[in-house]
Amino acid sequence: MRLSVDAMGGDNAPESIIKGCEAALDKYNDLEIILTGNENEIKKFIQPSDRVQIIHTEVVIEGEDSPVRAVRRKKDSSMVLAVQQVKEGKADAAVSAGNTGALMTAGLLVLGRIKGIERPALSPMLPTLGGEGFLLLDVGANMDAKPEHLLQYAKMGDVYMRKVRKVDNPRIGLLNVGTEAGKGSELTKQVYGLLQDSSVNFVGNVEARDLLEGAADVVVCDGFSGNLVLKTIEGTAMSLFSLLKEELTSSFTNKLAAGVLRPSFKRVKNKMDYSEYGGAGLFGLRAPVIKAHGSSDERAFFSAIRQAKTMHEEKVVSTIEQEIQKTKSAEGE
């Protein structure tokens, strides 16, 4: 597999990005990587290899850049060049930890959408207490969504969970303010009916408080609601670990107790660690594009690469396209 990587995107670029790439090269003998970015900076952290190609550019899309304007004006940026490699058939998938909006825009403008998909979705795997995780679609690609968009999210999520996460008959839930069928906004009421009549394993409405309990394998919602959920989960986890650290180091007795319980705390932290789940897939594009977390360390970026590789090998994009076309054909009959 050939993978293009934006080496300059993210808070810890290029060091953590490249270390994640080297870990992936060590793990997967069939992997080749194209790194786009400042060649002088990249060469500080990577060993020469016939499985690594560097495309030099000094142009970078920054986090504060306007996504559409940046992609159109910075066509020679590390991010756009990484996506362009996929467009030109030189790479099978792309990964970046850079500006989320710009990566989605680059995906749309350079690669385009799967036929039949009206709106792509930004979709991360989030942790659950049992360790299985759940897929949340959408977390910000589309703030205003139509009922049909959420139905498509459900179908894309179903394919991903079956192909990549190896979940048989994934449970699809609809994020709502209550579990009863008549609850919610006009949007969620309409989506409820569409999901009920669809071929996916719809388990009904799920409330935000039940997400980490593993109420569903796939949860669909509009991008505004999804982004609020994502940021709330991330913020709560960081605050909780910060409070625990402060309390456990506040006295000699607490430090002794913390030493005894350290293995348990480490297991809890690993269960809730986003780096184990990879990045957020940009579902609905014509090739796999993964948005790694902006603060990705080596381990997190490796997980994002693993996710991109699995999506390619399991033909997730073509399977989604087949599912959507099958639905269109059924509706036309």
Side-chain angles (χ1 to χ4, degrees):
M1 178 203 175
R2 297 166 298 171
L3 179 71
S4 60
V5 173
D6 170 16
M8 311 310 291
D11 302 335
N12 302 313
E15 183 174 4
S16 292
I17 306 304
I18 293 169
K19 286 183 176 178
C21 289
E22 288 200 312
L25 289 167
D26 289 340
K27 175 76 173 178
Y28 306 114
N29 294 327
D30 61 339
L31 180 64
E32 297 178 10
I33 291 180
I34 302 170
L35 293 167
T36 58
N38 189 310
E39 186 170 8
N40 292 330
E41 293 297 315
I42 291 171
K43 284 185 173 179
K44 291 179 183 178
F45 304 104
I46 195 164
Q47 297 296 320
S49 169
D50 57 3
R51 294 164 60 199
V52 177
Q53 177 188 350
I54 300 173
I55 297 178
H56 175 72
T57 180
E58 296 182 11
V59 182
V60 177
I61 293 179
E62 306 291 347
E64 63 273 11
D65 284 346
S66 169
V68 176
R69 185 179 303 169
V71 170
R72 286 178 172 164
R73 293 186 178 180
K74 297 183 176 181
K75 294 182 179 179
D76 55 346
S77 65
S78 58
M79 179 185 290
V80 177
L81 286 176
V83 178
Q84 188 67 36
Q85 302 312 300
V86 183
K87 167 72 172 179
E88 295 174 1
K90 297 174 182 176
D92 302 303
V95 182
S96 173
N99 184 312
T100 303
L103 185 60
M104 176 60 83
T105 301
L108 282 169
L109 295 181
V110 177
L111 294 176
R113 294 177 283 112
I114 292 173
K115 185 178 180 182
I117 295 293
E118 295 181 33
R119 297 279 183 89
L122 183 63
S123 316
M125 282 292 299
L126 296 177
T128 56
L129 298 180
E132 301 86 0
F134 73 97
L135 185 70
L136 181 63
L137 306 88
D138 168 41
V139 298
N142 305 291
M143 295 301 172
D144 298 310
K146 296 179 180 178
E148 295 77 15
H149 299 159
L150 271 68
L151 176 61
Q152 291 179 356
Y153 297 168
K155 292 180 178 178
M156 290 192 290
D158 177 72
V159 170
Y160 179 83
M161 293 302 288
R162 284 189 285 109
K163 291 286 186 175
V164 177
R165 305 294 297 187
K166 305 303 181 185
V167 177
D168 292 329
N169 200 24
R171 298 164 299 146
I172 313 295
L174 173 63
L175 184 66
N176 211 329
V177 295
T179 58
E180 299 86 353
K183 287 275 189 174
S185 64
E186 191 59 35
L187 172 66
T188 55
K189 291 175 184 176
Q190 291 183 45
V191 174
Y192 191 100
L194 290 176
L195 290 173
Q196 229 179 5
D197 295 337
S198 72
S199 59
V200 300
N201 178 22
F202 180 50
V203 296
N205 292 326
V206 294
E207 296 184 69
R209 66 183 178 186
D210 297 323
L211 294 178
L212 299 188
E213 296 282 350
D217 302 305
V218 177
V219 177
V220 297
C221 57
D222 63 271
F224 183 83
S225 302
N227 195 269
L228 290 176
V229 168
L230 175 66
K231 298 294 173 58
T232 300
I233 290 175
E234 287 184 340
T236 301
M238 287 189 291
S239 297
L240 180 59
F241 284 121
S242 178
L243 285 171
L244 280 172
K245 183 177 181 181
E246 182 180 337
E247 184 63 28
L248 292 170
T249 57
S250 63
S251 70
F252 179 71
T253 304
N254 285 2
K255 287 179 182 178
L256 287 176
V260 174
L261 293 172
R262 180 172 294 179
S264 298
F265 287 135
K266 189 173 182 180
R267 285 193 293 272
V268 171
K269 187 176 185 295
N270 288 340
K271 271 189 178 181
M272 304 304 289
D273 190 355
Y274 70 86
S275 65
E276 289 295 322
Y277 295 90
L282 274 60
F283 292 167
L285 299 180
R286 295 175 65 186
V289 176
I290 302 298
K291 167 62 177 73
H293 202 287
S295 59
S296 290
D297 57 12
E298 171 188 343
R299 181 172 155 215
F301 204 82
F302 167 81
S303 296
I305 292 173
R306 180 182 62 201
Q307 182 182 9
K309 188 174 188 295
T310 306
M311 283 186 69
H312 167 67
E313 291 174 346
E314 294 296 334
K315 297 180 172 57
V316 170
V317 172
S318 60
T319 305
I320 288 173
E321 189 165 17
Q322 290 168 14
E323 290 294 322
I324 296 300
Q325 293 308 312
K326 191 186 301 181
T327 301
K328 292 285 185 183
S329 299
E331 290 174 349
E333 289 176 355

